[in-house]
Amino acid sequence: MLECRDLRKSFGELAAVDGVSFHIAAGETYGLLGPNGAGKTTSISMAVGLMQRDGGQVLVDGEPLDPGTTRLKAKIGLVPQDLALYPDLTARENLRFFGRLYDMPRARLSRRVDEVLEIIGLSDRANDRADTFSGGMKRRLNIGIGLLHAPRLLVLDEPTVGVDPQSRNAILESIEQLGSEGLAVLYTTHYMEEAERLCDRIGIIDRGQIKAEGTRRELAQILSQHDRVRLSATGPLHEGAEALRRIAGVQQVDVTDGAIDVLVEQAGNSLMAILSALEQSGVSITGVEIDEPNLEAVFLHLTGRSLRD
Amino acid sequence: MKALAIAGSNLRRFARERANVFFVLILPMLLILVLGSVFGRGFEPRVGLVAPETGDLTQALVDELEAHEGFALHRHSDRETVVRAVERGELEAGLILPPDYDAAIRAGDAVEIDFIARPGQASLSLRRTIDTLLAEQMMLPRIAAFAAAEGAAPFDQALARAATVTADTDGVHVESTVAGDSGISRRNWGQFDLGAQQQLMLFMFLTSLAGSAALVQTRRLGIARRMFATPTTVRTILLGEGLGRFGVALVQGVYIMLGTMVVFGVRWGDPLGAILIVLTFGLVGSGAAMLMGALFSNDQQAAPVGVFLGLGAAALGGCMLPLYVMELFAPAVWTAAHVMPHAWALEAFEVLAIHDGGVGDVLPFLGILLGYAAGFYVLAIWRLRAVLTR
Ligand SMILES: Nc1ncnc2c1ncn2[C@@H]1O[C@H](COP(=O)(O)OP(=O)(O)OP(=O)(O)O)[C@@H](O)[C@H]1O
Ligand SMILES: [Mg+2]
């Protein structure tokens, strides 16, 4: 459905997207997971033909897509990261307006507008101006516009930021539903849970490059020889962390608020050494948790930084 | 079709803003009323005249001077008072006829008429008005004097004969007036005519430029990009947005024309020609607005800058200082005025309203205006494509 090859884009000195490739089959949900500034939005903008590329190629159903290829854009629905709707038009007017830009016949447009209003839970506010909506309602309308013409490829750029858990769940459900109906979905997020829940395959993107790609299981296998130990602790945590880094088998150490996260090859082998090293540094331990690695740990491992700044 | 959808949203949003109604419909009429009352008849130069009490020819000249609408005539008894009044600014100019005006003309002698004014451009204009008028007045007596000198007929007989001849072939007479400075004599403009034309151009352009903020806002809201993510070309987006602005300009233009016709009795000349000027000028204004909308990235700036540019362009283009005044006093400014589309539109209206021209007569002007519109739109599309895809 969508294939991106070696996408490149620089803003001045900054290589915002530096050779990104991925492909999405029909019915597949692909997630781009990365922190702020990773290059998700820039990649997406090139993928949907909004942005002039410095290099690379985009194919939609095998046909090359450039900003000038208008016809192919009918297959794509875009939900931009930043709200893009008329604040002084009503929800219904906004939907109708974009529907007309997709050349939807009138009867079908009216029906779809009602359907979409139902999906995004705004049926009872359909005739209110968008600027009277709460932030979450605007987000939902923003998503609704992308769904309206029932595209073959739905591209959502962090669509749930600022949406309450209940609405967020409804949105995720409708995306899951669309995915199961054969729609290809490109989804960017920096929420681990969303990527894990929605996406068939995930590309981990950082500093303009895809660091790893695969199903959730495949990604976890990158760390399959590793365990994650989380120690709740008080005292000089940073000194303790320094001591841990000198222990054989310890891959990575991170200090968060009131806890130290340690990535080790085998928890069983290193745990005693870890505990005594911490004790010697004057850190008192209040709890120990040992986990199989999750995406967050994979991310940390691959990029050396956590997803959220 | 899509362009219509875009124009529709644009207009719907425009209509929802109440203040727009005031700026588009009410303010222009108020200004035409105010300016028409102040300047339409208000600025009338005063000319002092010292003339002999008797003489047919003198009387004919005085009658003509008095009938002239370009200035007000005040009789004085001696040169001294006139000079002093001019010095004090109580009169714009003075005109002194010699005591033997009649006799000198009859004899075919040179007649010396004193024109007294302070140095300055305004008096120069008055001077030209009066020169024209005098030349016109003296034409018949000169012919008669010539005929009398040649022995063809006595002066009075020759004069009467010359009058009937020139009345028959009145083309000669009229053309001498027009070839002089018909622009200076405002005898053909109604009180509100010129002002209404100027305000029409000023407001159509101003409203359009201020409306460029709408396009900037559409861009800033991310809607322009989102439109571009649908199967819609940049050209369609821009033509749609432009069409919305064009609609506003058109409504305003037609409203000002009809309103001033009904309320102030303004003559616009041939209706079809007038509508065509408003249509093409509306395209120019909306095109300029689209270009501005594509160039600016901040709508808070676009609106005030639009107003500033709109007023500046109108001022230079002859919507404040009339073109004929520029032509007289500052030919360079007059030339520069024609960089602005306003000047061409105003001249087109002059052709319609003053010279009773028809559509055919204003075609060259319409062509130039269409050229402006096309240029603005092409640049705007080119620019918008660049900013949307970068
Ligand atoms: N128009 C632009 N001009 C200059 N730099 C830009 C522009 N757009 C993006 N960048 C830079 O490119 C990099 C990637 O930005 P991008 O918006 O693609 O990140 P992102 O992964 O979508 O981040 P976020 O999660 O915050 O949305 C960032 O460093 C950003 O500052
Ligand atoms: Mg982004």
Side-chain angles (χ1 to χ4, degrees):
Chain A
M1 179 74 225
L2 173 70
E3 178 160 5
C4 295
R5 291 185 193 150
D6 198 29
L7 298 181
R8 288 177 191 280
K9 181 76 183 184
S10 298
F11 299 108
E13 290 289 284
L14 176 80
V17 173
D18 189 11
V20 164
S21 302
F22 59 90
H23 63 92
I24 308 174
E28 189 179 31
T29 300
Y30 184 91
L32 271 182
L33 179 67
N36 292 139
K40 302 183 294 294
T41 301
T42 309
S43 299
I44 275 194
S45 301
M46 290 187 278
V48 301
L50 269 182
M51 190 183 268
Q52 208 70 54
R53 306 181 287 272
D54 293 345
Q57 213 185 358
V58 178
L59 299 173
V60 173
D61 279 339
E63 291 187 70
L65 173 73
D66 293 303
T69 6
T70 307
R71 186 178 44 86
L72 280 180
K73 292 181 183 170
K75 299 184 179 188
I76 307 174
L78 172 68
V79 177
Q81 175 172 12
D82 298 318
L83 293 174
L85 24 97
Y86 283 120
D88 42 7
L89 295 187
T90 68
R92 189 184 295 282
E93 285 167 344
N94 268 292
L95 288 167
R96 292 194 65 88
F97 172 68
F98 283 102
R100 289 185 66 186
L101 294 190
Y102 280 104
D103 278 325
M104 295 174 73
R106 270 172 196 279
R108 170 149 173 270
L109 178 57
S110 298
R111 189 158 26 88
R112 270 303 283 176
V113 165
D114 288 332
E115 280 171 23
V116 166
L117 283 168
E118 198 64 42
I119 293 174
I120 59 178
L122 288 176
S123 294
D124 53 337
R125 298 293 299 271
N127 298 320
D128 291 346
R129 279 164 58 132
D131 55 7
T132 66
F133 288 178
S134 72
M137 290 159 84
K138 285 181 198 158
R139 288 246 148 244
R140 276 141 64 191
L141 180 55
N142 194 44
I143 296 170
I145 293 170
L147 299 178
L148 189 68
H149 71 297
R152 305 252 328 278
L153 168 66
L154 181 60
V155 179
L156 304 113
D157 196 358
E158 308 200 28
T160 58
V161 174
V163 177
D164 65 67
Q166 216 174 335
S167 312
R168 185 165 156 183
N169 201 43
I171 289 166
L172 293 182
E173 263 173 28
S174 56
I175 293 169
E176 281 173 323
Q177 170 73 23
L178 290 165
S180 71
E181 287 169 5
L183 193 75
V185 179
L186 171 55
Y187 194 98
T188 80
T189 182
H190 58 253
Y191 290 126
M192 199 67 57
E193 319 81 72
E194 290 188 355
E196 288 185 344
R197 172 174 166 183
L198 285 176
C199 301
D200 302 313
R201 284 189 306 124
I202 295 162
I204 290 181
I205 183 171
D206 189 41
R207 296 176 216 273
Q209 295 180 329
I210 295 205
K211 304 285 183 186
E213 190 192 77
T215 61
R216 192 198 151 197
R217 191 178 296 267
E218 284 165 357
L219 287 175
Q221 261 166 15
I222 295 173
L223 296 187
S224 61
Q225 274 89 49
H226 301 61
D227 288 326
R228 200 177 69 119
V229 180
R230 166 168 274 239
L231 303 132
S232 311
T234 57
L237 297 189
H238 287 278
E239 283 164 37
E242 264 320 298
L244 293 185
R245 288 193 180 107
R246 289 192 286 270
I247 297 172
V250 169
Q251 299 266 310
Q252 198 174 324
V253 182
D254 270 285
V255 178
T256 57
D257 207 20
I260 303 178
D261 284 319
V262 190
L263 201 63
V264 291
E265 278 169 13
Q266 277 235 294
N269 293 349
S270 315
L271 196 55
M272 289 314 293
I274 289 173
L275 295 178
S276 63
L278 286 180
E279 202 167 356
Q280 276 169 25
S281 314
V283 174
S284 39
I285 296 159
T286 58
V288 179
E289 260 177 70
I290 300 175
D291 279 335
E292 302 244 307
N294 62 2
L295 278 181
E296 182 116 37
V298 174
F299 192 85
L300 210 59
H301 176 69
L302 287 171
T303 67
R305 49 188 181 141
S306 91
L307 261 176
R308 261 152 269 176
D309 301 337
Chain B
M1 240 25 247
K2 286 181 195 173
L4 284 184
I6 296 169
S9 287
N10 187 307
L11 285 177
R12 179 172 289 165
R13 300 181 59 229
F14 180 86
R16 265 174 208 179
E17 188 71 58
R18 283 252 172 80
N20 285 334
V21 177
F22 174 75
F23 285 110
V24 171
L25 301 183
I26 299 173
L27 188 60
M29 291 301 259
L30 283 179
L31 273 184
I32 291 167
L33 175 64
V34 169
L35 295 179
S37 316
V38 175
F39 296 112
R41 211 160 259 169
F43 178 69
E44 207 173 30
R46 293 149 300 181
V47 174
L49 176 71
V50 180
E53 293 300 322
T54 54
D56 295 345
L57 295 175
T58 307
Q59 198 50 49
L61 177 61
V62 171
D63 288 349
E64 193 64 25
L65 287 170
E66 256 167 3
H68 197 280
E69 286 178 9
F71 50 84
L73 198 68
H74 300 266
R75 297 285 300 253
H76 292 267
S77 54
D78 61 304
R79 181 191 168 91
E80 197 64 9
T81 6
V82 172
V83 171
R84 242 181 287 125
V86 169
E87 277 170 356
R88 284 196 226 104
E90 289 162 11
L91 292 175
E92 269 65 42
L95 204 57
I96 318 292
L97 301 189
D100 57 348
Y101 178 82
D102 265 59
I105 286 192
R106 279 169 192 281
D109 291 347
V111 178
E112 205 161 296
I113 296 175
D114 269 5
F115 181 80
I116 302 160
R118 277 165 303 159
Q121 297 285 20
S123 35
L124 206 65
S125 121
L126 207 52
R127 169 79 193 261
R128 289 181 65 172
T129 311
I130 289 170
D131 277 354
T132 310
L133 203 138
L134 288 176
E136 199 182 298
Q137 268 304 300
M138 289 188 181
M139 186 173 68
L140 293 184
R142 282 223 181 95
I143 293 171
F146 178 72
E150 294 291 309
F155 181 89
D156 284 311
Q157 208 179 322
L159 183 61
R161 178 92 182 99
T164 42
V165 168
T166 50
D168 287 347
T169 56
D170 89 332
V172 177
H173 177 77
V174 170
E175 249 173 278
S176 84
T177 317
V178 174
D181 270 319
S182 70
I184 298 177
S185 83
R186 290 164 59 193
R187 68 178 63 152
N188 284 324
W189 293 116
Q191 180 182 5
F192 294 101
D193 287 3
L194 181 60
Q197 290 168 13
Q198 292 174 318
Q199 297 306 312
L200 176 73
M201 297 307 145
L202 184 149
F203 270 97
M204 281 181 70
F205 204 73
L206 186 66
T207 310
S208 295
L209 282 199
S212 66
L215 177 60
V216 180
Q217 205 185 26
T218 301
R219 281 174 45 210
R220 204 175 45 76
L221 288 170
I223 294 171
R225 281 194 109 216
R226 193 170 201 164
M227 289 190 216
F228 189 54
T230 73
T232 308
T233 60
V234 171
R235 192 179 44 203
T236 305
I237 295 171
L238 209 118
L239 290 181
E241 294 284 344
L243 190 60
R245 304 317 306 174
F246 173 71
V248 173
L250 201 60
V251 166
Q252 185 178 43
V254 170
Y255 163 84
I256 291 179
M257 276 176 52
L258 291 181
T260 53
M261 257 166 78
V262 172
V263 180
F264 305 121
V266 169
R267 293 167 307 156
W268 293 94
D270 180 60
L272 182 60
I275 288 290
L276 285 176
I277 297 172
V278 166
L279 279 172
T280 46
F281 196 72
L283 287 176
V284 175
S286 62
M290 291 303 103
L291 180 57
M292 238 190 95
L295 286 173
F296 275 76
S297 49
N298 178 335
D299 55 328
Q300 315 280 17
Q301 286 169 6
V305 172
V307 169
F308 180 77
L309 288 181
L311 290 175
L316 182 55
C319 293
M320 295 181 190
L321 194 62
L323 286 171
Y324 71 85
V325 176
M326 289 183 187
E327 192 177 3
L328 281 175
F329 304 140
V333 177
W334 182 83
T335 308
H338 287 75
V339 172
M340 296 297 150
H342 305 59
W344 300 99
L346 283 170
E347 285 182 352
F349 267 121
E350 184 176 333
V351 168
L352 288 188
I354 302 302
H355 305 305
D356 284 330
V359 175
D361 302 309
V362 293
L363 279 182
F365 298 97
L366 297 181
I368 290 169
L369 291 176
L370 282 178
Y372 274 99
F376 284 141
Y377 270 100
V378 166
L379 285 176
I381 290 169
W382 169 73
R383 179 65 194 165
L384 185 64
R385 189 173 292 137
V387 295
L388 280 189
T389 61
R390 75 175 164 210

